[in-house]
């Protein structure tokens, strides 16, 4: 089966940009040329590769070829740099990272990446329980994930655990008139619909979330603002230990269940390609995780 590089590049561009027109602008060709390349690729494999919608997305077969196209582009870019050194040329690395990691230990990785003059990072923020799906769809080259099962074509290694503790502002407990939390009435802050940490704790203490007896729930979908919302007393939430400690020392947060921390194991999944750049970012991730995550 012949899979020409220009056709794979067109597929990747369509999936990345969402439309044939935007892909054409990126590739500096016409939209008709992009369409012809996609049709030729679909004819070669005998399957539909792109869902023509708004935005365009890859089918399962398309996702397989998107992964191939990205790997091919990465290796070609590295070979080009090795054969024709160009200080202005940079290669893009797509990585999936959960928001809490990005706000804490992963910043060490960003500090290292700031010294690399041949790379640009494209970070996709996704819940650790779902980030492996970005790998499966070929949208990223590597991911911080809680899933220990490797995606096809990927390797996986444990990084350590992030510890979370239920915490609230002292003023929130004062408003409830008790030192002990009233789980059925005290407002909750959740990150987004995929964030189950708070729901899991409520289920553990016997509060039937989803059965009409749940407490008020606020949704704050960024890690920094989630933390600030909890510190301001909007509701209680599960806070990473590294973020909790300084606010606890300052008297802005108190632990609600200090004896019941939740440890979320994190893993690093990456494509199995012999890439110097991907290897370098993997080493940076290992160092950052070793310095900050629990073993």
């Amino acid at each position: 089966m012949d899979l020409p590089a220009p056709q794979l590049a067109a597929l990747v561009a369509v999936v990345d940009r969402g439309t044939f027109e935007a892909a054409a602008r990126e590739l500096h060709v016409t939209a008709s040329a992009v369409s012809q390349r996609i049709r030729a690729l679909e004819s070669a494999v005998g399957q539909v590769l792109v869902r023509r919608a708004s935005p365009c997305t890859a089918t399962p077969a398309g996702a397989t070829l998107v992964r191939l196209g990205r790997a091919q582009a990465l290796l070609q870019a590295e070979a080009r740099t090795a054969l024709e050194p160009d200080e202005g040329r940079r290669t893009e690395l797509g990585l999936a990272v959960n928001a809490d990691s990005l706000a804490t230990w992963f910043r060490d990785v960003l500090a290292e990446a700031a010294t690399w003059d041949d790379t640009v990072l494209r970070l996709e923020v996704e819940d650790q329980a779902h980030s492996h799906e970005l790998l499966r769809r070929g949208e990223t080259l590597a991911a911080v994930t809680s899933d220990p099962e490797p995606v096809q074509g990927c390797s996986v290694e444990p990084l350590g655990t992030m510890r979370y503790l239920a915490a609230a502002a002292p003023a929130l407990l004062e408003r409830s008139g008790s030192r002990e939390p009233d789980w059925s009435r005290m407002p909750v802050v959740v990150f987004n619909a995929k964030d189950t940490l708070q729901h899991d704790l409520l289920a553990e203490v016997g509060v039937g979330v989803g059965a009409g007896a749940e407490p008020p729930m606020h949704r704050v979908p960024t890690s920094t603002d989630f933390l600030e919302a909890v510190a301001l007393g909007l509701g209680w939430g599960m806070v990473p230990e590294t973020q909790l400690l300084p606010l606890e020392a300052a008297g802005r947060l108190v632990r609600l269940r200090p004896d019941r921390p939740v440890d979320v194991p994190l893993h690093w999944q990456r494509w199995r390609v012999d890439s110097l750049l991907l290897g370098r970012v993997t080493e940076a991730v290992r160092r950052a995780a070793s310095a900050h995550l629990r073993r």
Side-chain angles (χ1 to χ4, degrees):
M1 182 186 301
D2 186 23
L3 302 173
Q7 295 177 7
L8 291 173
L11 176 62
V12 172
V14 168
V15 172
D16 279 352
R17 303 306 174 190
T19 68
F20 282 68
E21 292 76 14
R25 288 193 294 271
E26 178 180 323
L27 298 174
H28 305 291
V29 299
T30 65
S32 176
V34 171
S35 181
Q36 290 173 9
R37 293 177 188 181
I38 298 298
R39 286 201 302 270
L41 195 57
E42 289 177 330
S43 177
V45 301
Q47 297 186 61
V48 175
L49 302 176
V50 176
R51 300 184 185 93
R52 274 74 166 176
S54 183
C56 294
T57 57
T59 65
T64 298
L65 293 189
V66 167
R67 289 197 297 271
L68 175 61
R70 289 197 197 282
Q72 187 179 86
L74 173 63
L75 296 178
Q76 285 180 344
E78 291 186 357
R80 190 182 305 116
T81 299
L83 294 172
E84 303 173 359
D86 181 352
E87 292 183 1
R89 182 183 294 139
R90 289 175 179 259
T91 302
E92 180 183 271
L93 294 179
L95 311 175
V97 187
N98 61 304
D100 288 337
S101 290
L102 186 57
T104 53
W105 66 271
F106 201 85
R107 291 185 176 181
D108 282 12
V109 180
L110 302 186
E112 286 202 42
T115 67
W116 303 338
D117 58 7
D118 56 358
T119 307
V120 291
L121 299 184
R122 175 174 54 82
L123 299 182
E124 303 289 346
V125 178
E126 181 58 277
D127 184 88
Q128 65 271 5
H130 299 269
S131 54
H132 63 284
E133 289 297 332
L134 299 181
L135 277 175
R136 183 170 286 112
R137 296 198 300 266
E139 296 181 23
T140 62
L141 301 170
V144 176
T145 173
S146 60
D147 190 350
E149 294 298 321
V151 171
Q152 183 178 8
C154 293
S155 62
V156 61
E157 60 182 278
L159 294 174
T161 61
M162 282 195 74
R163 172 160 290 185
Y164 290 80
L165 294 120
L172 183 65
L173 289 176
E174 291 172 7
R175 289 200 299 270
S176 69
S178 172
R179 290 187 176 181
E180 295 300 321
D182 184 347
W183 299 106
S184 64
R185 297 171 59 87
M186 191 164 59
V188 187
V189 181
V190 299
F191 185 82
N192 59 23
K194 298 174 182 177
D195 175 17
T196 66
L197 289 174
Q198 289 75 211
H199 297 75
D200 292 344
L201 188 146
L202 288 171
E204 185 178 323
V205 298
V207 175
V209 176
E214 66 267 20
M217 293 201 176
H218 303 283
R219 186 178 295 184
V220 182
T222 69
S223 183
T224 301
D225 295 323
F226 175 96
L227 180 65
E228 187 62 19
V230 173
L232 290 172
L234 185 65
W236 70 269
M238 299 297 292
V239 177
E241 184 179 43
T242 53
Q243 291 181 320
L244 170 62
L245 291 177
L247 292 175
E248 186 178 39
R252 296 190 65 195
L253 287 178
V254 294
R255 304 185 190 202
L256 301 181
R257 298 197 76 188
D259 60 325
R260 299 301 296 270
V262 175
D263 288 337
V264 176
L266 296 178
H267 301 80
W268 178 246
Q269 291 209 33
R270 54 159 286 185
W271 291 1
R272 287 198 207 98
V273 294
D274 188 17
S275 162
L276 294 175
L277 298 183
L278 194 51
R280 185 174 62 187
V281 77
T282 295
E283 288 298 324
V285 167
R286 287 172 181 155
R287 284 189 289 271
S290 177
H292 297 284
L293 296 181
R294 286 177 170 267
R295 292 292 171 180

